[in-house]
Amino acid sequence: MKFHRVYYKEFNQTDKISIDNKSKINHLKKVLRLSEGSQVDVFDGKGNSSICKIVSLEKKEIVLEPIGDTEFQQPERINLKVLIPYIKKENLFFAVQKVTEIGVSNISLFRPDNIDQSIKKKDLSKINEKALSTIIHACEQNGSNIVPDFQIYENLSSAIEHDSFRIFFDLDATNNFQSIKSIEDNITLITGPESGFSKREKELLNARTSHNISLGKNILRAETAPITALSVIKSNLGLL
């Protein structure tokens, strides 16, 4: 039987699961039409989950009680990090949602040199909050008990400072994924913004990146590129 899924970060640290988030309460009560006695699948984003029963459903709080054994989902054998530039808001949220659905260990955002004018002067903290919320909702939908780590960076240089095995996707590249002879356990996939990487960023990537790869002859939109890149990599690694 399939249960509605609920993310609760402290699930494995307490016996009482109390939800006081207004939007989540509204979703459970008015959208899903759940009531006292209904069962849901609660997960903590770190791999743990359990079936829980709603024991109290009030206007400002929902209380759940675990009724099943705690199960643990093993992470994938290869850590995949997707490094995405800030692009137009709705396009960014779409990309974040889809790479989460496909399955990734880490989603990181960086401020590109060629940032879109529509968000250049905006408060990015609100975009970050919405992106994280999108990641959590996507995990509630796709069945994964592991929420990808989420990080933000001021620029591309700081974003790749500690990564070792990096693949960036470039229109000028001539190699495809099959040209890579060996794969490490931690892989960072890097895609560019609507206007492409700047000259400075291209020089940085060529100097500090393991491989530059083509995604084919067609020019992909900035929000489509990370989805395609992740799909290609996971398919070739047998992770889909």
Side-chain angles (χ1 to χ4, degrees):
M1 181 178 178
K2 185 177 180 181
F3 296 98
H4 296 294
R5 286 166 48 79
V6 176
Y7 170 70
Y8 188 78
K9 189 175 181 181
E10 292 82 21
F11 152 68
N12 206 35
Q13 303 171 15
T14 178
D15 294 330
K16 178 185 177 183
I17 299 173
S18 175
I19 297 174
D20 57 8
N21 181 279
K22 198 174 286 188
S23 63
K24 186 163 287 187
I25 292 173
N26 182 69
H27 182 72
L28 293 174
K29 289 181 65 175
K30 297 183 178 180
V31 179
L32 300 180
R33 299 183 182 277
L34 300 182
S35 57
E36 290 184 7
S38 296
Q39 296 179 12
V40 293
D41 184 5
V42 180
F43 68 103
D44 65 358
K46 298 178 181 179
N48 301 294
S49 69
S50 179
I51 302 302
C52 298
K53 180 176 69 176
I54 297 176
V55 295
S56 174
L57 196 152
E58 304 295 337
K59 186 176 182 181
K60 294 184 179 181
E61 181 187 45
I62 294 179
V63 179
L64 303 108
E65 176 183 278
I67 59 173
D69 295 331
T70 299
E71 297 184 359
F72 180 72
Q73 177 185 345
Q74 292 289 343
E76 291 186 342
R77 59 184 175 85
I78 294 179
N79 292 319
L80 284 170
K81 174 179 177 178
V82 177
L83 185 54
I84 306 173
Y86 285 101
I87 55 178
K88 293 176 182 176
K89 288 193 297 183
E90 294 308 314
N91 296 344
L92 176 64
F93 301 146
F94 175 80
V96 165
Q97 179 190 59
K98 297 309 174 187
V99 296
T100 303
E101 289 177 357
I102 295 169
V104 67
S105 305
N106 180 293
I107 298 173
S108 293
L109 306 180
F110 72 95
R111 187 183 184 93
D113 289 347
N114 296 332
I115 192 168
D116 189 270
Q117 294 299 314
S118 66
I119 60 171
K120 187 174 184 179
K121 296 182 179 180
K122 288 189 179 298
D123 180 4
L124 296 183
S125 64
K126 294 181 179 179
I127 295 178
N128 298 333
E129 290 176 9
K130 175 66 174 178
L132 180 56
S133 175
T134 299
I135 291 171
I136 292 170
H137 289 321
C139 285
E140 288 179 330
Q141 294 296 319
N142 77 350
S144 174
N145 293 333
I146 301 176
V147 174
D149 291 334
F150 179 64
Q151 296 170 305
I152 55 175
Y153 296 95
E154 283 298 316
N155 50 52
L156 181 59
S157 178
S158 60
I160 64 175
E161 183 177 0
H162 301 295
D163 296 331
S164 57
F165 195 88
R166 315 177 191 99
I167 302 174
F168 85 95
F169 298 87
D170 179 22
L171 290 174
D172 298 327
T174 56
N175 296 323
N176 58 26
F177 183 78
Q178 281 68 33
S179 66
I180 302 176
K181 302 303 181 184
S182 62
I183 292 292
E184 296 185 9
D185 290 338
N186 295 283
I187 305 173
T188 299
L189 311 178
I190 309 167
T191 58
E194 290 95 338
S195 301
F197 294 112
S198 68
K199 181 180 178 182
R200 184 187 70 85
E201 288 172 334
K202 286 284 288 289
E203 291 173 349
L204 176 69
L205 288 167
N206 282 316
R208 296 174 56 185
T209 302
S210 309
H211 302 276
N212 63 323
I213 297 297
S214 169
L215 286 174
K217 296 179 180 179
N218 294 342
I219 298 175
L220 301 180
R221 295 172 64 92
E223 69 271 24
T224 309
I227 302 168
T228 304
L230 181 61
S231 300
V232 168
I233 296 298
K234 293 199 72 170
S235 177
N236 278 274
L237 294 176
L239 298 176
L240 284 179

